[in-house]
Amino acid sequence: MIPSFSLLSSLFFLFLFLFPSPTIPSLTELPTLMAIKASLDPQNELLASWIPNTDPCSGSFEGVACDKQGRVANISLQGKGLSGTVPAALAELKSLTGLYLHFNALTGKIPKDIARLTQLSDLYLNVNNLSGEIPADIGKMYNLQVLQLCCNRLTGGIPTQVGNMWRLSVLALQYNHLTGAIPASLGNLPMLTRLDLSFNRLFGPIPVKLVNAPILEVLDIRNNSLSGIVPSALKRLHGGFQYKNNPGLCGVGFSNLSICKATDGLNPNRPEPIEPGNPSTKTLPETVPLKSECSKNQCPQPSKPHQVGVVLVVIGVIIIALAVSGIFTFAWYRQQKQKIGSAIDTSDSRLRTDQVKEIYRKSASPLISLEYSNGWDPMAKGRSGFSKEVLESFMFNLEDVERATQCFSKVNLLGKSNFSAMYKGILGDGSVVAIKCIAKTSCKSDEAEFLKGLKILTSLEHENLVGLRGFCCSKGRGECFLIYDFVPNGCLSEYLDVKGGSGKVLEWTARVSIINGIAKGIGYLHGNKGNRPPIVHQNISAEKVLIDGWYNPLLSDSGLHKLLADDIVFSTLKASAAMGYLAPEYTTTGRFTEKSNVFAFGMIIFQIIAGKRIITQLIRQGVESCRFEDFVDMNLEGKFLESEAAKLGRIALLCTHENANQRPSMESVMQELSVRIGS
Ligand SMILES: *[C@@H]1O[C@H](CO)[C@@H](O)[C@H](O)[C@H]1NC(C)=O
Ligand SMILES: *[C@@H]1O[C@H](CO)[C@@H](O)[C@H](O)[C@H]1NC(C)=O
């Protein structure tokens, strides 16, 4: 019976060979991935991890995530600096559900083959240099939920067929050169929540049918050349409907729109534009058959019985083939299998432990949140209790933040702490900002408390505090973002412990004015301007004092502790205790008072005068006995005013008094400073 057993087992292995087991399909997609790489990264510099003869599903291919069947499910290469073209070969990745190529420098057209990706749900090609028209075939992608094409140079019209993508939830085409009309077919989309067509060259009326989209929340058509009557039903979108800078629009009940004249609806001089992509659209039924089919869950899907049939037929073929090629085939197969196996092994052994973790984290970290329009839940309409003015001037959306930071590109990472990351960014208006990203888990879990803190942050404004530009909370990303003015000259601690001649030695007058500025900033926080209770900063240190282009000091993170969870606040305190900023009474009372800020301020005065981070007993004694060589920075080479140094030293001593009651208030410190050594 042994021969027939080996016959059976060789049949089995041959079967495996012809019908690859779950780990093998990825290898069949390997040539496609190599073609994609060649197209996206023609210089072959940026996708070094995409190596031929490697299993792309092993986790080693940057940005590639596979499904359980070993097929490529997501490609996320946003913000990678890719400068090639969007490859038509993508269409071969039949199981692709997410394609994230935004924030790159891709050029050329969107290939129409991409429409064959019928499993795709997310297509992000925004912020590239794509040109040409949006292919009309795109309407065949009936699983697409998010189509992001903003900020390219796309021309032509919006294809009517977009109205066939019945699952579409976000359609973002803003900042392109699109012309023609808004297709009425968009009103067919039952899932559409956000439609952004702003900053294009669209003309003609707003189709009345658009009002039919049942769950539409955001309709942005700013800066186009649309004309005619604005359907009054759009009022239900409230602030979600944005229509500025369309000189031809008119309507009742919309601010800044004139009442329509009799001729506005039917301007004889301007024939209604023909909807692009399908000139005869008006004669077609408005509802596409596909939609009703799909809503009955009868979408064309690979049918199982059919597959089984194929399998049976092929098994028959195998048996015949076996009879012909027999053991030779089996031997050859084993050789092949070994080759593949060793390729996988080597790729595995190159990636051990933490490296593997890192890569998995990378390839599994997708991506991006689907919700763009709404903030984090606390912000949900009306509930936040923010005034309309505050919301309008401070609320950013995730898209703004992503665009500013080029999708949190590493290039823009300024720094990381145990609970936050800081990115540099550029806003749409060209201003440079620093964006602090805080995980939701590090924030106060009580929404009301959190909002209260946020409100305090938005109320702070002083020339010696880093200005808050806005905030954004994303439920999808689980993060909150605080957007601050960017301060160009780093933080005060960078000017401590520097070598003479390094160019970072602050002159005496700069030191005095920095001390003055910090005092004013803290004094502002302690004052109770306009009913706001005094704020105790809790984390004043040389790291928190930023230096602007004119060497003015700006206190950062003011009020931040009002947003953070208690354990996070404690962990930041540990660091400031280690640096000597923490007032002694904190260890006994566990409470922060204005006097503890005064203590930290005193430490900073010492640091600035001495040019040193660590304040030793020698420095204190130097002040007490007026031995300038012991407490004034040697790098100044004697260029300082002894009277000022002595005065500042004494203030520092007072501020750092062991007994909190003996420390002066910030107000009297400010007075002292201005009387004696100010201006
Ligand atoms: C692909 O991305 C989507 C959206 O982010 C995610 O839900 C899904 O789990 C990803 N699939 C794989 C296999 O990583
Ligand atoms: C939007 O339109 C206004 C008014 O026509 C114009 O001043 C502004 O420059 C436009 N903005 C952009 C980004 O095109």
Side-chain angles (χ1 to χ4, degrees), residues 65-68 71 73-74 97-98 100 121-122 363-364 366-368 370:
C66 298
D67 57 19
K68 286 204 190 72
R71 295 188 178 274
N74 287 325
T97 58
Y100 307 88
S121 70
D122 294 34
S363 59
L367 315 177
I368 206 95
L370 293 187

Side-chain angles (χ1 to χ4, degrees), residues 121-150:
S121 70
D122 294 34
L123 178 55
Y124 285 73
L125 299 175
N126 40 317
V127 202
N128 278 292
N129 292 319
L130 299 173
S131 52
E133 302 195 358
I134 302 171
D137 276 0
I138 213 159
K140 294 178 185 159
M141 304 173 85
Y142 48 79
N143 268 313
L144 206 61
Q145 294 170 24
V146 178
L147 178 55
Q148 264 286 359
L149 301 178
C150 109

